[in-house]
Amino acid sequence: MLTIKCARCKAKLFKYQKIGSGHVLKCHKSRMKRVHQLEKNSQMYLCTCGSIIGKDEGSHIKMIRTAFTYTGTKE
C-alpha cells in the first residue's frame, strides 16, 4: 500500500494499492483506498495547497511525476 503525498506541502493525498513494480504513472480510481486531501476541479485533481497532482482520464488519474511523492511498498 502506497501513501501518495503532495511534493509541495507534504500533505497526505490518498492511499493507493499499487500492483506491480513499475512507476506510479496512473492511479486507478478503484484501487484508491482512503482519500485525505484530494480535490477535483473540472478535469484536474489538486492538493489543498493548489498544486496540480494529475488529470482525470475516466477510470484512472494520469499523475504528474514531479507533483507527488510516495512511501510504502508495491505489491
Short mmCIF file of all heavy atoms in Angstrom, two decimals:
data_model
loop_
_atom_site.label_atom_id
_atom_site.label_comp_id
_atom_site.label_asym_id
_atom_site.label_seq_id
_atom_site.Cartn_x
_atom_site.Cartn_y
_atom_site.Cartn_z
N MET A 1 0.86 -1.18 0.00
CA MET A 1 0.00 0.00 0.00
C MET A 1 0.90 1.23 0.00
O MET A 1 1.81 1.34 0.81
CB MET A 1 -0.89 -0.03 1.23
CG MET A 1 -1.93 1.03 1.29
SD MET A 1 -3.31 0.84 0.16
CE MET A 1 -4.11 -0.58 0.81
N LEU A 2 0.64 2.16 -0.90
CA LEU A 2 1.42 3.39 -1.00
C LEU A 2 0.65 4.54 -0.40
O LEU A 2 -0.58 4.61 -0.51
CB LEU A 2 1.72 3.72 -2.47
CG LEU A 2 2.55 2.74 -3.27
CD1 LEU A 2 2.70 3.23 -4.69
CD2 LEU A 2 3.90 2.53 -2.65
N THR A 3 1.34 5.46 0.22
CA THR A 3 0.77 6.71 0.66
C THR A 3 1.28 7.79 -0.28
O THR A 3 2.48 8.05 -0.35
CB THR A 3 1.19 7.04 2.11
OG1 THR A 3 0.76 5.97 2.96
CG2 THR A 3 0.58 8.33 2.58
N ILE A 4 0.38 8.39 -1.03
CA ILE A 4 0.73 9.43 -2.00
C ILE A 4 0.66 10.77 -1.28
O ILE A 4 -0.36 11.09 -0.66
CB ILE A 4 -0.22 9.42 -3.21
CG1 ILE A 4 -0.35 8.01 -3.81
CG2 ILE A 4 0.19 10.44 -4.24
CD1 ILE A 4 0.86 7.49 -4.49
N LYS A 5 1.74 11.58 -1.39
CA LYS A 5 1.82 12.89 -0.73
C LYS A 5 2.11 13.97 -1.75
O LYS A 5 2.74 13.72 -2.77
CB LYS A 5 2.94 12.89 0.31
CG LYS A 5 2.74 11.91 1.44
CD LYS A 5 3.91 11.97 2.39
CE LYS A 5 3.77 10.93 3.49
NZ LYS A 5 4.90 10.97 4.40
N CYS A 6 1.70 15.18 -1.45
CA CYS A 6 1.99 16.35 -2.28
C CYS A 6 3.48 16.67 -2.16
O CYS A 6 4.02 16.72 -1.06
CB CYS A 6 1.15 17.54 -1.83
SG CYS A 6 1.48 19.06 -2.74
N ALA A 7 4.15 16.91 -3.28
CA ALA A 7 5.58 17.23 -3.26
C ALA A 7 5.83 18.64 -2.73
O ALA A 7 6.90 18.93 -2.22
CB ALA A 7 6.16 17.09 -4.66
N ARG A 8 4.84 19.50 -2.85
CA ARG A 8 5.00 20.90 -2.45
C ARG A 8 4.80 21.11 -0.96
O ARG A 8 5.65 21.69 -0.28
CB ARG A 8 4.01 21.74 -3.24
CG ARG A 8 4.15 23.21 -3.09
CD ARG A 8 3.28 23.88 -4.13
NE ARG A 8 2.94 25.23 -3.74
CZ ARG A 8 1.98 25.93 -4.29
NH1 ARG A 8 1.26 25.40 -5.26
NH2 ARG A 8 1.74 27.14 -3.90
N CYS A 9 3.68 20.62 -0.40
CA CYS A 9 3.37 20.88 1.01
C CYS A 9 3.47 19.64 1.89
O CYS A 9 3.28 19.72 3.09
CB CYS A 9 1.98 21.50 1.15
SG CYS A 9 0.62 20.36 0.78
N LYS A 10 3.75 18.47 1.30
CA LYS A 10 3.92 17.20 2.01
C LYS A 10 2.65 16.69 2.69
O LYS A 10 2.71 15.85 3.58
CB LYS A 10 5.05 17.28 3.05
CG LYS A 10 6.37 17.75 2.50
CD LYS A 10 6.94 16.78 1.52
CE LYS A 10 8.35 17.21 1.12
NZ LYS A 10 8.57 17.21 -0.28
N ALA A 11 1.49 17.16 2.29
CA ALA A 11 0.22 16.68 2.85
C ALA A 11 -0.13 15.33 2.25
O ALA A 11 0.13 15.07 1.08
CB ALA A 11 -0.88 17.69 2.56
N LYS A 12 -0.73 14.45 3.05
CA LYS A 12 -1.18 13.16 2.55
C LYS A 12 -2.38 13.37 1.63
O LYS A 12 -3.34 14.06 2.00
CB LYS A 12 -1.60 12.25 3.70
CG LYS A 12 -0.46 11.75 4.53
CD LYS A 12 -0.98 10.82 5.61
CE LYS A 12 0.14 10.36 6.50
NZ LYS A 12 -0.36 9.51 7.60
N LEU A 13 -2.33 12.78 0.45
CA LEU A 13 -3.43 12.92 -0.50
C LEU A 13 -4.36 11.71 -0.48
O LEU A 13 -5.55 11.84 -0.33
CB LEU A 13 -2.88 13.12 -1.91
CG LEU A 13 -2.03 14.38 -2.09
CD1 LEU A 13 -1.40 14.40 -3.47
CD2 LEU A 13 -2.88 15.61 -1.88
N PHE A 14 -3.78 10.51 -0.66
CA PHE A 14 -4.58 9.29 -0.62
C PHE A 14 -3.69 8.07 -0.47
O PHE A 14 -2.50 8.12 -0.67
CB PHE A 14 -5.47 9.15 -1.87
CG PHE A 14 -4.74 9.14 -3.18
CD1 PHE A 14 -4.35 7.95 -3.76
CD2 PHE A 14 -4.48 10.32 -3.85
CE1 PHE A 14 -3.70 7.93 -4.98
CE2 PHE A 14 -3.83 10.32 -5.07
CZ PHE A 14 -3.44 9.12 -5.64
N LYS A 15 -4.33 6.94 -0.10
CA LYS A 15 -3.66 5.65 -0.03
C LYS A 15 -4.02 4.90 -1.30
O LYS A 15 -5.16 4.94 -1.75
CB LYS A 15 -4.12 4.86 1.19
CG LYS A 15 -3.73 5.49 2.48
CD LYS A 15 -3.02 4.49 3.32
CE LYS A 15 -2.68 5.13 4.65
NZ LYS A 15 -1.38 4.76 5.07
N TYR A 16 -3.03 4.21 -1.87
CA TYR A 16 -3.21 3.56 -3.16
C TYR A 16 -2.61 2.16 -3.14
O TYR A 16 -1.50 1.96 -2.66
CB TYR A 16 -2.54 4.39 -4.26
CG TYR A 16 -2.71 3.83 -5.64
CD1 TYR A 16 -3.95 3.83 -6.26
CD2 TYR A 16 -1.63 3.32 -6.34
CE1 TYR A 16 -4.11 3.32 -7.53
CE2 TYR A 16 -1.78 2.81 -7.61
CZ TYR A 16 -3.02 2.81 -8.19
OH TYR A 16 -3.18 2.30 -9.45
N GLN A 17 -3.35 1.20 -3.67
CA GLN A 17 -2.88 -0.18 -3.76
C GLN A 17 -2.20 -0.35 -5.11
O GLN A 17 -2.85 -0.51 -6.13
CB GLN A 17 -4.03 -1.15 -3.61
CG GLN A 17 -3.60 -2.59 -3.67
CD GLN A 17 -4.78 -3.54 -3.56
OE1 GLN A 17 -5.93 -3.12 -3.53
NE2 GLN A 17 -4.49 -4.81 -3.52
N LYS A 18 -0.87 -0.30 -5.13
CA LYS A 18 -0.08 -0.43 -6.35
C LYS A 18 0.21 -1.90 -6.61
O LYS A 18 0.71 -2.60 -5.74
CB LYS A 18 1.23 0.36 -6.21
CG LYS A 18 2.22 0.16 -7.34
CD LYS A 18 1.80 0.88 -8.58
CE LYS A 18 2.92 0.87 -9.61
NZ LYS A 18 2.58 0.19 -10.82
N ILE A 19 -0.11 -2.35 -7.82
CA ILE A 19 0.17 -3.72 -8.22
C ILE A 19 1.26 -3.68 -9.27
O ILE A 19 1.15 -2.97 -10.26
CB ILE A 19 -1.09 -4.41 -8.77
CG1 ILE A 19 -2.16 -4.46 -7.68
CG2 ILE A 19 -0.78 -5.80 -9.29
CD1 ILE A 19 -3.49 -4.97 -8.14
N GLY A 20 2.35 -4.38 -9.03
CA GLY A 20 3.48 -4.38 -9.96
C GLY A 20 4.60 -3.51 -9.44
O GLY A 20 4.44 -2.74 -8.49
N SER A 21 5.75 -3.62 -10.09
CA SER A 21 6.93 -2.91 -9.61
C SER A 21 7.26 -1.66 -10.42
O SER A 21 8.29 -1.05 -10.20
CB SER A 21 8.13 -3.86 -9.63
OG SER A 21 8.37 -4.27 -10.96
N GLY A 22 6.42 -1.27 -11.35
CA GLY A 22 6.70 -0.13 -12.21
C GLY A 22 6.49 1.21 -11.52
O GLY A 22 6.17 1.29 -10.34
N HIS A 23 6.68 2.28 -12.29
CA HIS A 23 6.49 3.64 -11.79
C HIS A 23 5.01 3.93 -11.57
O HIS A 23 4.14 3.29 -12.16
CB HIS A 23 7.06 4.66 -12.77
CG HIS A 23 8.53 4.55 -12.95
ND1 HIS A 23 9.43 4.95 -11.99
CD2 HIS A 23 9.27 4.08 -13.98
CE1 HIS A 23 10.65 4.75 -12.42
NE2 HIS A 23 10.59 4.21 -13.63
N VAL A 24 4.74 4.93 -10.75
CA VAL A 24 3.36 5.36 -10.49
C VAL A 24 3.04 6.44 -11.54
O VAL A 24 3.30 7.62 -11.34
CB VAL A 24 3.21 5.91 -9.06
CG1 VAL A 24 1.78 6.33 -8.80
CG2 VAL A 24 3.65 4.88 -8.04
N LEU A 25 2.51 6.01 -12.67
CA LEU A 25 2.14 6.92 -13.74
C LEU A 25 0.64 7.13 -13.82
O LEU A 25 0.18 8.21 -14.16
CB LEU A 25 2.65 6.39 -15.09
CG LEU A 25 4.15 6.17 -15.19
CD1 LEU A 25 4.48 5.53 -16.52
CD2 LEU A 25 4.88 7.48 -15.03
N LYS A 26 -0.11 6.07 -13.51
CA LYS A 26 -1.57 6.12 -13.49
C LYS A 26 -2.04 5.56 -12.17
O LYS A 26 -1.50 4.58 -11.68
CB LYS A 26 -2.17 5.24 -14.59
CG LYS A 26 -1.95 5.68 -15.98
CD LYS A 26 -2.82 4.85 -16.89
CE LYS A 26 -1.98 4.01 -17.80
NZ LYS A 26 -2.78 3.17 -18.69
N CYS A 27 -3.04 6.18 -11.59
CA CYS A 27 -3.66 5.65 -10.38
C CYS A 27 -5.11 5.32 -10.72
O CYS A 27 -5.90 6.22 -11.02
CB CYS A 27 -3.61 6.68 -9.24
SG CYS A 27 -1.97 6.87 -8.54
N HIS A 28 -5.44 4.05 -10.69
CA HIS A 28 -6.81 3.61 -10.96
C HIS A 28 -7.69 3.98 -9.78
O HIS A 28 -7.35 3.72 -8.63
CB HIS A 28 -6.83 2.11 -11.23
CG HIS A 28 -6.08 1.72 -12.46
ND1 HIS A 28 -6.66 1.71 -13.71
CD2 HIS A 28 -4.79 1.38 -12.64
CE1 HIS A 28 -5.77 1.36 -14.60
NE2 HIS A 28 -4.61 1.16 -13.98
N LYS A 29 -8.82 4.55 -10.07
CA LYS A 29 -9.72 5.03 -9.02
C LYS A 29 -10.26 3.89 -8.15
O LYS A 29 -10.51 4.08 -6.98
CB LYS A 29 -10.88 5.82 -9.63
CG LYS A 29 -10.43 7.11 -10.27
CD LYS A 29 -11.59 7.82 -10.93
CE LYS A 29 -11.13 9.06 -11.65
NZ LYS A 29 -12.22 9.69 -12.40
N SER A 30 -10.39 2.70 -8.73
CA SER A 30 -10.90 1.57 -7.96
C SER A 30 -9.89 1.07 -6.93
O SER A 30 -10.27 0.39 -5.98
CB SER A 30 -11.26 0.42 -8.91
OG SER A 30 -10.11 -0.01 -9.62
N ARG A 31 -8.60 1.40 -7.08
CA ARG A 31 -7.57 0.98 -6.13
C ARG A 31 -7.25 2.05 -5.08
O ARG A 31 -6.40 1.82 -4.22
CB ARG A 31 -6.29 0.62 -6.87
CG ARG A 31 -6.45 -0.58 -7.76
CD ARG A 31 -5.12 -0.98 -8.30
NE ARG A 31 -5.28 -1.76 -9.50
CZ ARG A 31 -4.38 -1.86 -10.45
NH1 ARG A 31 -3.23 -1.24 -10.33
NH2 ARG A 31 -4.60 -2.59 -11.50
N MET A 32 -7.88 3.21 -5.16
CA MET A 32 -7.69 4.26 -4.16
C MET A 32 -8.50 3.87 -2.92
O MET A 32 -9.71 3.72 -3.00
CB MET A 32 -8.12 5.61 -4.70
CG MET A 32 -7.25 6.10 -5.83
SD MET A 32 -7.88 7.56 -6.65
CE MET A 32 -7.68 8.78 -5.40
N LYS A 33 -7.81 3.69 -1.80
CA LYS A 33 -8.48 3.17 -0.61
C LYS A 33 -8.98 4.25 0.34
O LYS A 33 -10.08 4.18 0.84
CB LYS A 33 -7.54 2.22 0.15
CG LYS A 33 -7.11 1.03 -0.66
CD LYS A 33 -8.32 0.21 -1.08
CE LYS A 33 -7.91 -0.96 -1.95
NZ LYS A 33 -9.00 -1.66 -2.55
N ARG A 34 -8.18 5.26 0.60
CA ARG A 34 -8.58 6.30 1.55
C ARG A 34 -8.11 7.65 1.02
O ARG A 34 -6.92 7.87 0.87
CB ARG A 34 -7.96 6.02 2.91
CG ARG A 34 -8.42 6.96 3.97
CD ARG A 34 -7.92 6.53 5.32
NE ARG A 34 -8.38 7.50 6.30
CZ ARG A 34 -7.92 7.56 7.51
NH1 ARG A 34 -7.00 6.72 7.93
NH2 ARG A 34 -8.37 8.47 8.35
N VAL A 35 -9.04 8.55 0.76
CA VAL A 35 -8.72 9.87 0.23
C VAL A 35 -8.64 10.86 1.38
O VAL A 35 -9.57 10.95 2.19
CB VAL A 35 -9.76 10.32 -0.81
CG1 VAL A 35 -9.46 11.70 -1.31
CG2 VAL A 35 -9.82 9.32 -1.96
N HIS A 36 -7.52 11.60 1.48
CA HIS A 36 -7.33 12.56 2.56
C HIS A 36 -7.62 13.99 2.08
O HIS A 36 -8.59 14.59 2.49
CB HIS A 36 -5.89 12.50 3.10
CG HIS A 36 -5.56 11.20 3.76
ND1 HIS A 36 -5.98 10.88 5.04
CD2 HIS A 36 -4.87 10.13 3.33
CE1 HIS A 36 -5.55 9.68 5.36
NE2 HIS A 36 -4.87 9.20 4.34
N GLN A 37 -6.76 14.54 1.21
CA GLN A 37 -6.88 15.94 0.81
C GLN A 37 -6.79 16.10 -0.69
O GLN A 37 -6.03 16.90 -1.20
CB GLN A 37 -5.76 16.76 1.45
CG GLN A 37 -5.83 16.85 2.94
CD GLN A 37 -4.77 17.75 3.50
OE1 GLN A 37 -4.20 18.56 2.81
NE2 GLN A 37 -4.50 17.63 4.78
N LEU A 38 -7.57 15.36 -1.43
CA LEU A 38 -7.56 15.43 -2.89
C LEU A 38 -8.84 16.09 -3.35
O LEU A 38 -9.93 15.67 -2.97
CB LEU A 38 -7.42 14.02 -3.47
CG LEU A 38 -7.13 13.92 -4.95
CD1 LEU A 38 -5.76 14.52 -5.27
CD2 LEU A 38 -7.17 12.48 -5.39
N GLU A 39 -8.73 17.14 -4.16
CA GLU A 39 -9.90 17.86 -4.66
C GLU A 39 -9.94 17.76 -6.17
O GLU A 39 -8.91 17.73 -6.83
CB GLU A 39 -9.80 19.34 -4.27
CG GLU A 39 -9.76 19.59 -2.79
CD GLU A 39 -9.53 21.06 -2.46
OE1 GLU A 39 -9.33 21.86 -3.38
OE2 GLU A 39 -9.55 21.38 -1.27
N LYS A 40 -11.16 17.70 -6.73
CA LYS A 40 -11.32 17.66 -8.18
C LYS A 40 -11.83 19.00 -8.66
O LYS A 40 -12.82 19.50 -8.16
CB LYS A 40 -12.28 16.55 -8.58
CG LYS A 40 -12.35 16.40 -10.08
CD LYS A 40 -13.18 15.23 -10.48
CE LYS A 40 -13.20 15.15 -11.99
NZ LYS A 40 -14.13 14.16 -12.48
N ASN A 41 -11.13 19.58 -9.63
CA ASN A 41 -11.52 20.85 -10.23
C ASN A 41 -11.59 20.63 -11.73
O ASN A 41 -10.56 20.53 -12.38
CB ASN A 41 -10.50 21.93 -9.87
CG ASN A 41 -10.91 23.30 -10.35
OD1 ASN A 41 -11.96 23.46 -10.94
ND2 ASN A 41 -10.06 24.27 -10.11
N SER A 42 -12.76 20.55 -12.29
CA SER A 42 -13.05 20.21 -13.69
C SER A 42 -12.33 18.91 -14.06
O SER A 42 -12.71 17.86 -13.59
CB SER A 42 -12.75 21.36 -14.64
OG SER A 42 -11.37 21.62 -14.71
N GLN A 43 -11.29 18.93 -14.86
CA GLN A 43 -10.58 17.71 -15.27
C GLN A 43 -9.28 17.48 -14.52
O GLN A 43 -8.55 16.54 -14.83
CB GLN A 43 -10.29 17.77 -16.78
CG GLN A 43 -11.52 17.70 -17.64
CD GLN A 43 -12.24 16.37 -17.50
OE1 GLN A 43 -11.61 15.32 -17.48
NE2 GLN A 43 -13.55 16.41 -17.38
N MET A 44 -8.96 18.31 -13.53
CA MET A 44 -7.70 18.19 -12.80
C MET A 44 -7.94 17.82 -11.35
O MET A 44 -8.95 18.19 -10.76
CB MET A 44 -6.93 19.52 -12.84
CG MET A 44 -6.61 19.99 -14.24
SD MET A 44 -5.69 18.78 -15.15
CE MET A 44 -4.20 19.63 -15.40
N TYR A 45 -6.99 17.09 -10.77
CA TYR A 45 -7.00 16.78 -9.35
C TYR A 45 -5.95 17.64 -8.67
O TYR A 45 -4.82 17.74 -9.15
CB TYR A 45 -6.72 15.30 -9.10
CG TYR A 45 -7.93 14.44 -9.32
CD1 TYR A 45 -8.18 13.86 -10.55
CD2 TYR A 45 -8.83 14.22 -8.30
CE1 TYR A 45 -9.30 13.08 -10.76
CE2 TYR A 45 -9.96 13.44 -8.49
CZ TYR A 45 -10.18 12.88 -9.72
OH TYR A 45 -11.30 12.11 -9.92
N LEU A 46 -6.34 18.28 -7.57
CA LEU A 46 -5.49 19.25 -6.88
C LEU A 46 -5.31 18.87 -5.42
O LEU A 46 -6.17 18.25 -4.82
CB LEU A 46 -6.12 20.65 -6.93
CG LEU A 46 -6.55 21.22 -8.26
CD1 LEU A 46 -7.40 22.44 -8.05
CD2 LEU A 46 -5.34 21.56 -9.09
N CYS A 47 -4.18 19.32 -4.86
CA CYS A 47 -3.98 19.29 -3.41
C CYS A 47 -4.67 20.53 -2.83
O CYS A 47 -5.01 21.46 -3.57
CB CYS A 47 -2.48 19.30 -3.10
SG CYS A 47 -2.10 19.35 -1.34
N THR A 48 -4.85 20.57 -1.54
CA THR A 48 -5.47 21.74 -0.92
C THR A 48 -4.57 22.97 -1.01
O THR A 48 -5.05 24.09 -0.88
CB THR A 48 -5.83 21.47 0.54
OG1 THR A 48 -4.67 21.00 1.22
CG2 THR A 48 -6.92 20.43 0.65
N CYS A 49 -3.26 22.79 -1.25
CA CYS A 49 -2.35 23.93 -1.39
C CYS A 49 -2.43 24.54 -2.79
O CYS A 49 -1.84 25.58 -3.04
CB CYS A 49 -0.91 23.52 -1.07
SG CYS A 49 -0.14 22.46 -2.31
N GLY A 50 -3.14 23.89 -3.73
CA GLY A 50 -3.30 24.42 -5.07
C GLY A 50 -2.43 23.74 -6.11
O GLY A 50 -2.54 24.04 -7.30
N SER A 51 -1.58 22.83 -5.71
CA SER A 51 -0.69 22.13 -6.64
C SER A 51 -1.49 21.11 -7.46
O SER A 51 -2.28 20.35 -6.91
CB SER A 51 0.41 21.43 -5.85
OG SER A 51 1.26 20.73 -6.70
N ILE A 52 -1.27 21.07 -8.77
CA ILE A 52 -1.95 20.12 -9.64
C ILE A 52 -1.25 18.77 -9.53
O ILE A 52 -0.05 18.66 -9.74
CB ILE A 52 -1.95 20.62 -11.10
CG1 ILE A 52 -2.70 21.93 -11.21
CG2 ILE A 52 -2.57 19.56 -12.01
CD1 ILE A 52 -2.61 22.58 -12.58
N ILE A 53 -2.01 17.74 -9.18
CA ILE A 53 -1.46 16.41 -8.96
C ILE A 53 -1.61 15.54 -10.21
O ILE A 53 -0.72 14.77 -10.54
CB ILE A 53 -2.16 15.72 -7.77
CG1 ILE A 53 -2.01 16.58 -6.51
CG2 ILE A 53 -1.63 14.32 -7.55
CD1 ILE A 53 -0.57 16.83 -6.10
N GLY A 54 -2.74 15.62 -10.88
CA GLY A 54 -2.96 14.79 -12.06
C GLY A 54 -4.20 15.19 -12.84
O GLY A 54 -4.92 16.10 -12.45
N LYS A 55 -4.41 14.48 -13.95
CA LYS A 55 -5.53 14.76 -14.85
C LYS A 55 -6.48 13.57 -14.85
O LYS A 55 -6.05 12.42 -14.89
CB LYS A 55 -4.99 15.00 -16.27
CG LYS A 55 -6.05 15.35 -17.26
CD LYS A 55 -5.45 15.53 -18.64
CE LYS A 55 -6.57 15.79 -19.64
NZ LYS A 55 -6.09 15.76 -21.00
N ASP A 56 -7.79 13.86 -14.83
CA ASP A 56 -8.81 12.82 -14.85
C ASP A 56 -8.89 12.21 -16.25
O ASP A 56 -9.06 12.91 -17.23
CB ASP A 56 -10.17 13.42 -14.45
CG ASP A 56 -11.24 12.37 -14.26
OD1 ASP A 56 -10.91 11.17 -14.27
OD2 ASP A 56 -12.40 12.75 -14.11
N GLU A 57 -8.74 10.89 -16.32
CA GLU A 57 -8.78 10.17 -17.59
C GLU A 57 -9.92 9.14 -17.60
O GLU A 57 -9.82 8.13 -18.29
CB GLU A 57 -7.45 9.46 -17.85
CG GLU A 57 -6.26 10.38 -18.00
CD GLU A 57 -6.17 11.00 -19.38
OE1 GLU A 57 -6.57 10.35 -20.35
OE2 GLU A 57 -5.70 12.14 -19.47
N GLY A 58 -10.95 9.36 -16.83
CA GLY A 58 -12.06 8.42 -16.77
C GLY A 58 -11.92 7.45 -15.61
O GLY A 58 -12.23 7.76 -14.48
N SER A 59 -11.39 6.25 -15.89
CA SER A 59 -11.26 5.23 -14.84
C SER A 59 -9.98 5.37 -14.03
O SER A 59 -9.80 4.69 -13.03
CB SER A 59 -11.29 3.83 -15.46
OG SER A 59 -10.16 3.65 -16.30
N HIS A 60 -9.08 6.26 -14.46
CA HIS A 60 -7.83 6.46 -13.74
C HIS A 60 -7.41 7.93 -13.76
O HIS A 60 -7.99 8.74 -14.47
CB HIS A 60 -6.71 5.58 -14.33
CG HIS A 60 -6.33 5.94 -15.72
ND1 HIS A 60 -7.00 5.45 -16.82
CD2 HIS A 60 -5.36 6.74 -16.20
CE1 HIS A 60 -6.46 5.94 -17.91
NE2 HIS A 60 -5.46 6.73 -17.57
N ILE A 61 -6.40 8.24 -12.94
CA ILE A 61 -5.83 9.59 -12.89
C ILE A 61 -4.43 9.50 -13.48
O ILE A 61 -3.62 8.69 -13.05
CB ILE A 61 -5.74 10.10 -11.44
CG1 ILE A 61 -7.11 10.14 -10.80
CG2 ILE A 61 -5.08 11.48 -11.40
CD1 ILE A 61 -7.07 10.40 -9.31
N LYS A 62 -4.14 10.31 -14.49
CA LYS A 62 -2.80 10.38 -15.07
C LYS A 62 -2.01 11.34 -14.20
O LYS A 62 -2.26 12.53 -14.16
CB LYS A 62 -2.86 10.87 -16.51
CG LYS A 62 -1.50 10.87 -17.18
CD LYS A 62 -1.61 11.28 -18.62
CE LYS A 62 -0.23 11.28 -19.25
NZ LYS A 62 -0.29 11.76 -20.63
N MET A 63 -1.03 10.80 -13.46
CA MET A 63 -0.29 11.55 -12.47
C MET A 63 0.82 12.38 -13.10
O MET A 63 1.43 11.98 -14.09
CB MET A 63 0.32 10.60 -11.44
CG MET A 63 -0.69 9.70 -10.75
SD MET A 63 -1.86 10.57 -9.74
CE MET A 63 -0.85 10.92 -8.33
N ILE A 64 1.08 13.55 -12.51
CA ILE A 64 2.21 14.40 -12.90
C ILE A 64 3.38 13.99 -12.01
O ILE A 64 3.31 14.12 -10.79
CB ILE A 64 1.87 15.89 -12.75
CG1 ILE A 64 0.70 16.24 -13.66
CG2 ILE A 64 3.09 16.75 -13.04
CD1 ILE A 64 0.14 17.63 -13.46
N ARG A 65 4.43 13.49 -12.61
CA ARG A 65 5.52 12.84 -11.87
C ARG A 65 6.19 13.74 -10.82
O ARG A 65 6.57 13.26 -9.76
CB ARG A 65 6.57 12.40 -12.87
CG ARG A 65 7.15 11.09 -12.56
CD ARG A 65 8.13 10.70 -13.61
NE ARG A 65 7.74 9.39 -14.10
CZ ARG A 65 8.53 8.62 -14.79
NH1 ARG A 65 9.71 9.04 -15.14
NH2 ARG A 65 8.14 7.44 -15.17
N THR A 66 6.33 15.00 -11.09
CA THR A 66 7.03 15.90 -10.16
C THR A 66 6.10 16.50 -9.11
O THR A 66 6.56 17.21 -8.24
CB THR A 66 7.71 17.03 -10.93
OG1 THR A 66 6.71 17.75 -11.68
CG2 THR A 66 8.77 16.50 -11.87
N ALA A 67 4.80 16.21 -9.17
CA ALA A 67 3.84 16.83 -8.27
C ALA A 67 3.60 16.04 -6.99
O ALA A 67 2.97 16.54 -6.07
CB ALA A 67 2.51 17.03 -8.99
N PHE A 68 4.11 14.80 -6.91
CA PHE A 68 3.83 13.97 -5.75
C PHE A 68 5.04 13.13 -5.37
O PHE A 68 5.96 12.93 -6.16
CB PHE A 68 2.63 13.05 -6.02
CG PHE A 68 2.89 11.98 -7.02
CD1 PHE A 68 3.26 10.71 -6.62
CD2 PHE A 68 2.80 12.22 -8.38
CE1 PHE A 68 3.52 9.70 -7.53
CE2 PHE A 68 3.05 11.24 -9.30
CZ PHE A 68 3.42 9.97 -8.88
N THR A 69 5.02 12.65 -4.14
CA THR A 69 5.98 11.66 -3.66
C THR A 69 5.17 10.53 -3.04
O THR A 69 3.98 10.68 -2.79
CB THR A 69 6.94 12.24 -2.61
OG1 THR A 69 6.18 12.70 -1.49
CG2 THR A 69 7.76 13.40 -3.16
N TYR A 70 5.82 9.40 -2.80
CA TYR A 70 5.11 8.30 -2.16
C TYR A 70 6.03 7.52 -1.25
O TYR A 70 7.24 7.52 -1.42
CB TYR A 70 4.46 7.37 -3.20
CG TYR A 70 5.41 6.67 -4.13
CD1 TYR A 70 5.97 5.46 -3.80
CD2 TYR A 70 5.73 7.22 -5.36
CE1 TYR A 70 6.83 4.80 -4.65
CE2 TYR A 70 6.58 6.59 -6.23
CZ TYR A 70 7.14 5.37 -5.88
OH TYR A 70 7.99 4.73 -6.73
N THR A 71 5.41 6.88 -0.27
CA THR A 71 6.10 5.98 0.63
C THR A 71 5.28 4.72 0.73
O THR A 71 4.08 4.73 0.47
CB THR A 71 6.28 6.58 2.04
OG1 THR A 71 4.99 6.92 2.56
CG2 THR A 71 7.14 7.82 2.01
N GLY A 72 5.90 3.62 1.10
CA GLY A 72 5.19 2.36 1.24
C GLY A 72 5.78 1.30 0.33
O GLY A 72 6.81 1.49 -0.28
N THR A 73 5.05 0.19 0.22
CA THR A 73 5.53 -0.93 -0.59
C THR A 73 4.57 -1.22 -1.73
O THR A 73 3.36 -1.07 -1.60
CB THR A 73 5.67 -2.20 0.28
OG1 THR A 73 4.41 -2.49 0.87
CG2 THR A 73 6.70 -2.02 1.35
N LYS A 74 5.15 -1.66 -2.85
CA LYS A 74 4.37 -2.06 -4.02
C LYS A 74 4.15 -3.57 -3.95
O LYS A 74 4.99 -4.30 -3.47
CB LYS A 74 5.12 -1.72 -5.31
CG LYS A 74 5.40 -0.24 -5.47
CD LYS A 74 6.23 0.01 -6.70
CE LYS A 74 6.58 1.47 -6.82
NZ LYS A 74 7.44 1.72 -8.00
N GLU A 75 3.00 -4.03 -4.44
CA GLU A 75 2.67 -5.46 -4.42
C GLU A 75 3.02 -6.09 -5.75
O GLU A 75 2.96 -5.49 -6.76
CB GLU A 75 1.20 -5.67 -4.12
CG GLU A 75 0.82 -5.21 -2.75
CD GLU A 75 -0.66 -5.37 -2.49
OE1 GLU A 75 -1.35 -6.06 -3.27
OE2 GLU A 75 -1.12 -4.82 -1.49
#
